[in-house]
Amino acid sequence: DAGASVDDVDWASKTPHYIDGEDIAAAQVYKAGSRTLFLGWIPQNATGDNWGGHLSLPREITSLSDGTLSVKLATDVGLALRGTELWPGSSAASITGQNSGWTVSGTTASFSGTAFATAAVPASTTSTDMRFTVNMATATDRAGLLIAESQAGPYGIEVTLDKQNGLLRLRSDRTGSGGWQEYATTPVRSGDLSGDVPVRVITEGDMVELFVGDRYSLAARVPFDLDGGNIRLLTTGDATFTNVAAFELNR
């Protein structure tokens, strides 16, 4: 509030906003030239309170015209991380719909229907940098990736944009019928998951970092080593995935 000291502000009356999820611990903000960056610990374990872990990738924070903040992977770090294109590259393999209703052409895959549906991408999550743009229909609940379906859970890890609840989610289904284990979530502003939404997902070992539209990020430790896991596009209704590609991480 203009002119008010920090002790005089009625913080309980304010609308909360979020920079990331609960798996960015003890985050620190610092200046890098003209940029404001922050990073924190990704905890040692997917659950529990053990201290330490690995440092997250640095996020760049910018102020929007309404005073809220946007978050993106620091541009120079994002460029340095992206290595050899694993798919499509020179591969002749194609995205394969695992349900009827998929239409695939090159790096574009569209699903038409109302059921949970997946499509296999010919790449794995061994230190992988995944890129795509997704456009969900108004009634579609969520869309994103299902990774390590074969070994994790065994129902895999969902990395999704939950349009109906206005959330980014990292979670797994322990039972195959909605026995959800949540690893991290962060709210998004109304309308920010509409239209074409660029998505980047980086995996290494048992860590996942999600970056959406240069506006949001979400990191989590999961209880499974994801190396060698398969990658599926996931949707629960009409959705189109474009510009799908997978890269290895430079180290």
Side-chain angles (χ1 to χ4, degrees), residues 134-151:
V134 63
N135 189 311
M136 290 177 273
T138 301
T140 297
D141 178 65
R142 67 189 189 278
L145 297 182
L146 177 64
I147 57 180
E149 181 184 20
S150 57
Q151 72 258 42

Side-chain angles (χ1 to χ4, degrees), residues 91-144:
S91 174
S94 64
I95 297 171
T96 304
Q98 299 182 290
N99 317 77
S100 60
W102 286 97
T103 301
V104 176
S105 176
T107 61
T108 297
S110 297
F111 178 76
S112 178
T114 57
F116 178 94
T118 59
V121 178
S124 73
T125 54
T126 304
S127 299
T128 305
D129 181 357
M130 186 80 183
R131 177 195 72 197
F132 60 92
T133 297
V134 63
N135 189 311
M136 290 177 273
T138 301
T140 297
D141 178 65
R142 67 189 189 278

Side-chain angles (χ1 to χ4, degrees), residues 69-219:
L69 302 176
S70 67
V71 183
K72 67 177 183 179
L73 177 62
T75 302
D76 50 348
V77 175
L79 290 172
L81 280 176
R82 180 159 286 174
T84 302
E85 187 172 279
L86 300 172
W87 188 87
S90 59
S91 174
S94 64
I95 297 171
T96 304
Q98 299 182 290
N99 317 77
S100 60
W102 286 97
T103 301
V104 176
S105 176
T107 61
T108 297
S110 297
F111 178 76
S112 178
T114 57
F116 178 94
T118 59
V121 178
S124 73
T125 54
T126 304
S127 299
T128 305
D129 181 357
M130 186 80 183
R131 177 195 72 197
F132 60 92
T133 297
V134 63
N135 189 311
M136 290 177 273
T138 301
T140 297
D141 178 65
R142 67 189 189 278
L145 297 182
L146 177 64
I147 57 180
E149 181 184 20
S150 57
Q151 72 258 42
Y155 302 105
I157 305 295
E158 282 199 7
V159 184
T160 55
L161 286 58
D162 185 335
K163 188 173 184 178
Q164 298 306 313
N165 292 298
L167 294 172
L168 306 184
R169 287 186 185 274
L170 296 174
R171 64 180 183 174
S172 63
D173 184 351
R174 295 169 297 176
T175 65
S177 58
W180 295 111
Q181 173 69 58
E182 298 272 1
Y183 303 116
T185 62
T186 194
V188 302
R189 302 172 189 96
S190 176
D192 280 358
L193 299 183
S194 298
D196 291 336
V197 183
V199 178
R200 186 171 182 176
V201 179
I202 295 173
T203 68
E204 185 166 18
D206 57 357
M207 293 180 291
V208 182
E209 299 203 49
L210 167 65
F211 301 91
V212 175
D214 285 347
R215 294 290 299 274
Y216 303 98
S217 69
L218 184 62

Side-chain angles (χ1 to χ4, degrees), residues 7-29:
D7 293 324
D8 293 332
V9 174
D10 180 9
W11 294 104
S13 69
K14 303 299 182 183
T15 300
H17 298 279
Y18 301 86
I19 291 178
D20 208 284
E22 52 268 39
D23 268 14
I24 296 289
Q28 301 294 306
V29 178

